[in-house]
Amino acid sequence: MLNIMHPALRRIDLNLLPVFDAVYRHRSVRIAAEELIMSTSALSHALSRLRTALNDPLFFREGHRMCPSVYATQLAPAIASALTFLNQQLIPQPDFSPAVATDCLQIAITDFTAFCVFPALMHKVQPLAPGIRFELRYLPHSPALTELLAGEVDLALGFNVLNETEHPDLDEITWQRDEYVVISNVNRARLTLEDYLAASHVVVTPWNETQGVLDIELERMGHTRQVAIKTPSMLSAPFIIEHSDMLMAIPRSAAERLARSAHLKIFPLPFDAPPFDVKIYSHKRSGHRGVTHWLKQQLQAIAGKM
């Protein structure tokens, strides 16, 4: 395919173009060789190869000067421009420096991940990287696969939902593992499985899913729970629980935080269920590779202290 698209480039060693440019600018093999840190014989040999490739003498010696041919004069502006452009574009990416970074990161969240992750994250990140900005986005599905692959978001903070599958272009790490507990109003004295099944429930469905992990576990046991309210937001639910006889199953870390704002009682989940895993998803070819890698390191450091 390259032969078809760039036939001229296939015939020329592109390393010869800086030689042409240096000789044209300095009109001297010696000065050009010094600039390119080459011997004069090596530069003369390179110039000879370029003359053969382009089928033109390119330069004529007149006294101590190398005078360009008509063809060389025509080529010179284009070669100089191309070398300048490539030199600017092919600069290696600098190492990420949080203190001077000004990146703006698009992060897909639920209100749970924003509530449980971002207070601790901002406390840690702001003193280290005051110029970094975040735009948090609620998305209608998990794990924001389409948006991550399209580069519309840089990270996704999500949790294990049904039918999640690994994707070869995504990095996935478990940020935190938690257990489910049940919150109720303060009047409840106990919570058995029978009590749990007899009660009405508030269920958070951030992606409008019809069935959650706990429903699957209950179904395996031959039970179903009575869902009175489905809501995409976790933050209003505890206040509904506080003023009703309904129950709500949520991760322990969230329950303990919410119990500081609402009058709630926390009970162990009265049946076995898989752990609640908060995950961090990122694209392996992210355009913000340095900052996303650094941010994941900060998130993992926070998780280690929680």
Side-chain angles (χ1 to χ4, degrees):
M1 195 65 184
L2 191 61
N3 274 320
I4 298 172
M5 294 177 61
H6 306 292
L9 295 181
R10 294 289 290 178
R11 293 186 294 101
I12 298 174
D13 180 354
L14 298 185
N15 290 313
L16 300 177
L17 298 185
V19 170
F20 173 92
D21 179 67
V23 173
Y24 183 85
R25 285 185 289 104
H26 296 296
R27 302 295 201 269
S28 167
V29 169
R30 180 184 61 81
I31 297 175
E34 290 175 355
E35 178 179 280
L36 298 174
I37 315 177
M38 300 172 65
S39 67
T40 54
S41 61
L43 189 138
S44 295
H45 177 68
L47 192 57
S48 176
R49 290 172 56 203
L50 190 59
R51 284 167 168 156
T52 300
L54 296 178
N55 193 29
D56 188 87
L58 298 178
F59 297 96
F60 300 93
R61 184 175 292 280
E62 293 184 0
H64 296 294
R65 289 175 58 81
M66 298 293 288
C67 297
S69 69
V70 173
Y71 182 48
T73 302
Q74 293 171 347
L75 285 179
I79 290 177
S81 177
L83 290 174
T84 299
F85 175 79
L86 289 174
N87 193 54
Q88 292 171 345
Q89 296 300 313
L90 297 179
I91 296 173
Q93 290 293 304
D95 292 334
F96 175 72
S97 176
V100 298
T102 57
D103 301 76
C104 180
L105 292 177
Q106 305 277 339
I107 301 185
I109 58 163
T110 65
D111 58 358
F112 169 79
T113 52
F115 175 68
C116 289
V117 174
F118 265 83
L121 180 62
M122 297 311 296
H123 177 73
K124 182 172 179 59
V125 165
Q126 275 204 312
L128 300 174
I132 290 181
R133 294 168 291 123
F134 298 92
E135 292 186 5
L136 308 185
R137 295 179 55 184
Y138 289 98
L139 294 172
H141 52 85
S142 175
L145 176 64
T146 303
E147 289 78 8
L148 282 165
L149 295 176
E152 295 174 8
V153 296
D154 301 294
L155 289 176
L157 304 179
F159 51 86
N160 54 332
V161 296
L162 305 179
N163 299 322
E164 277 191 357
T165 56
E166 294 183 358
H167 192 283
D169 289 331
L170 295 187
D171 279 328
E172 172 189 319
I173 60 174
T174 297
W175 179 71
Q176 186 181 34
R177 173 159 287 184
D178 206 345
E179 64 175 350
Y180 284 98
V181 296
V182 181
I183 57 174
S184 79
N185 64 37
V186 294
N187 298 322
R188 185 177 293 275
R190 65 171 196 176
L191 184 66
T192 65
L193 178 59
E194 290 73 20
D195 298 329
Y196 185 88
L197 296 174
S200 296
H201 295 263
V202 177
V203 178
V204 176
T205 56
W207 302 290
N208 300 313
E209 56 268 30
T210 58
Q211 192 179 42
V213 173
L214 299 185
D215 296 297
I216 290 179
E217 294 305 314
L218 287 170
E219 192 175 85
R220 288 174 181 166
M221 299 164 58
H223 302 301
T224 57
R225 59 179 174 175
Q226 303 175 50
V227 178
I229 298 177
K230 282 187 176 183
T231 174
S233 173
M234 180 192 68
L235 298 183
S236 63
F239 302 99
I240 297 172
I241 299 298
E242 179 183 8
H243 298 289
S244 71
D245 291 326
M246 289 186 282
L247 302 175
M248 180 180 174
I250 57 174
R252 179 177 290 279
S253 57
E256 291 174 349
R257 286 178 174 84
L258 292 170
R260 300 169 194 161
S261 301
H263 295 292
L264 302 171
K265 189 174 284 189
I266 301 173
F267 293 95
L269 188 71
F271 58 93
D272 292 333
F276 183 94
D277 289 340
V278 178
K279 297 183 178 182
I280 303 172
Y281 302 92
S282 60
H283 198 304
K284 292 179 179 178
R285 297 188 295 275
S286 169
H288 292 85
R289 183 174 62 251
V291 66
T292 53
H293 178 70
W294 179 82
L295 189 62
K296 286 193 289 185
Q297 289 180 324
Q298 307 312 306
L299 284 164
Q300 288 177 301
I302 292 169
K305 296 178 181 179
M306 295 179 67

